Amino acid sequence: MSQQTASAPVSISQETATTQVSSPRSRQFSGSNVGAMTFLIICTLYFLIPFFWLIVSATKNTGDLFNTFGLWFASSFNLWSNLHQLLTYSDGLYVHWMLNTLLYAGVGSVVGTFLAAMAGYALAKYDFHGRDLIFAMILGAILIPATALALPLYLMMSGVGLTNTIWSVLLPSLVSPFGVYLSRIYASSSVPNELLESARIDGAGEFHTFLTVAMRLMIPALVTILLFQFVAIWNNYFLPLIMLSNQNLFPISVGLETWNITTGGANNFLYPLIVTGALVSSIPLLIGCILLQRFWRGGLGAGSVKG
């Protein structure tokens, strides 16, 4: 009994000593991160200041846009007036561009992600002749700039009579070499072969196994591919510029640029509309990131199989 009582102060003193020793280390560790935190803050400001300028400029009229400080609001607040003009100018042409962009980015990102997931899964889980060569070609396709492929794509679409149609923008958007690469890497590490064999033993077909087992485990990678595809198609400018001549088929990126070209003289009022339109076009991207970030997690199948 006495031994147990005597051991308690020793344990308390050891914990106190450990706390006293670890506190300077934690303070020293925090001090060593000052440089890293400063760098991150600078990077954050670097990316947020242009967006803040966009918000501020969308509240100004043409005169205030050029005659006031760019990073602060003017005396008059014209955001609602700019939005009304933006949505009603030229019979609501901006709304038509927004719907076109949603069509291109929405369908292209969803279908492109599904195709990339199937291709990556097949490259990861099936052993067939030429698999490594195909994967090497996909890696090479990632390194090719999209602008270098614009002219060959135009000639191909022109040859089959699809230029100046939604298909000339939509079909190239369905291909994602980076998505195939990421799907293959993620499927190799996160989809256990034991789960696939178990599904096959239970009588599931290959496509059903892919849908019910593999895709569920690949959700973090698929969300990443979906976001990358959606943002890339939404901001795509050069491909629709050379494919489309009908302004009713333009996405927002090309449409706003056509307004920018025509500004000057009597069309000076378009400057606030262009800035406001750019701000509005960024909202779907922000909403998409906020809604999908909860799926951005890994390790869904970490405990599904015992080693």
Side-chain angles (χ1 to χ4, degrees):
M1 186 72 180
S2 60
Q3 292 178 354
Q4 294 178 354
T5 305
S7 61
V10 176
S11 301
I12 295 174
S13 62
Q14 289 178 351
E15 293 177 358
T16 305
T18 303
T19 305
Q20 292 177 353
V21 172
S22 61
S23 296
R25 290 182 180 177
S26 62
R27 286 195 296 267
Q28 182 180 2
F29 180 77
S30 299
S32 64
N33 285 335
V34 173
M37 291 299 297
T38 303
F39 176 75
L40 292 176
I41 291 173
I42 293 174
C43 291
T44 302
L45 293 175
Y46 176 79
F47 288 108
L48 290 182
I49 286 178
F51 189 71
F52 180 73
W53 177 89
L54 191 64
I55 295 174
V56 171
S57 299
T59 65
K60 300 179 180 180
N61 55 31
T62 304
D64 293 334
L65 189 62
F66 291 98
N67 298 323
T68 59
F69 181 57
L71 293 177
W72 198 245
F73 300 92
S75 57
S76 59
F77 189 83
N78 295 279
L79 177 61
W80 311 123
S81 174
N82 291 339
L83 285 173
H84 180 265
Q85 294 183 53
L86 175 69
L87 299 178
T88 57
Y89 177 70
S90 189
D91 296 327
L93 185 59
Y94 180 84
V95 178
H96 200 73
W97 292 342
M98 175 70 78
L99 295 177
N100 292 340
T101 311
L102 287 173
L103 173 65
Y104 299 145
V107 176
S109 59
V110 172
V111 178
T113 300
F114 184 72
L115 295 177
M118 288 196 297
Y121 171 78
L123 290 172
K125 297 302 177 181
Y126 293 100
D127 189 10
F128 54 90
H129 183 70
R131 182 181 68 170
D132 294 336
L133 177 61
I134 294 175
F135 187 64
M137 294 174 62
I138 293 173
L139 289 178
I142 297 176
L143 303 177
I144 301 177
T147 53
L149 299 175
L151 182 57
L153 285 173
Y154 174 79
L155 296 176
M156 292 173 58
M157 293 297 171
S158 178
V160 295
L162 291 180
T163 54
N164 201 30
T165 65
I166 62 172
W167 299 108
S168 61
V169 178
L170 193 57
L171 291 178
S173 303
L174 303 180
V175 180
S176 174
F178 173 77
V180 177
Y181 164 77
L182 184 59
S183 296
R184 195 244 173 147
I185 298 301
Y186 200 88
S188 299
S189 60
S190 299
V191 180
N193 293 328
E194 291 81 359
L195 284 180
L196 302 180
E197 291 298 330
S198 177
R200 291 163 183 158
I201 292 174
D202 290 339
E206 293 298 323
F207 188 67
H208 186 264
T209 301
F210 167 72
L211 291 178
T212 58
V213 178
M215 284 197 67
R216 291 177 181 271
L217 298 175
M218 294 170 61
I219 284 179
L222 299 185
V223 170
T224 303
I225 298 169
L226 180 67
L227 287 177
F228 274 54
Q229 276 287 93
F230 189 86
V231 173
I233 300 172
W234 189 275
N235 294 327
N236 195 6
Y237 171 75
F238 193 61
L239 179 65
L241 176 66
I242 66 173
M243 290 290 186
L244 304 175
S245 57
N246 184 359
Q247 68 173 359
N248 290 323
L249 299 176
F250 285 169
I252 291 177
S253 56
V254 178
L256 291 180
E257 179 60 23
T258 59
W259 282 359
N260 186 45
I261 294 174
T262 59
T263 52
N267 290 328
N268 276 341
F269 72 95
L270 285 176
Y271 283 118
L273 303 190
I274 295 171
V275 175
T276 307
L279 176 62
V280 173
S281 67
S282 65
I283 295 177
L285 301 180
L286 296 176
I287 295 175
C289 291
I290 293 173
L291 293 179
L292 294 177
Q293 66 177 351
R294 65 190 184 94
F295 297 102
W296 220 331
R297 59 184 182 270
L300 293 179
S304 58
V305 178
K306 292 183 178 180

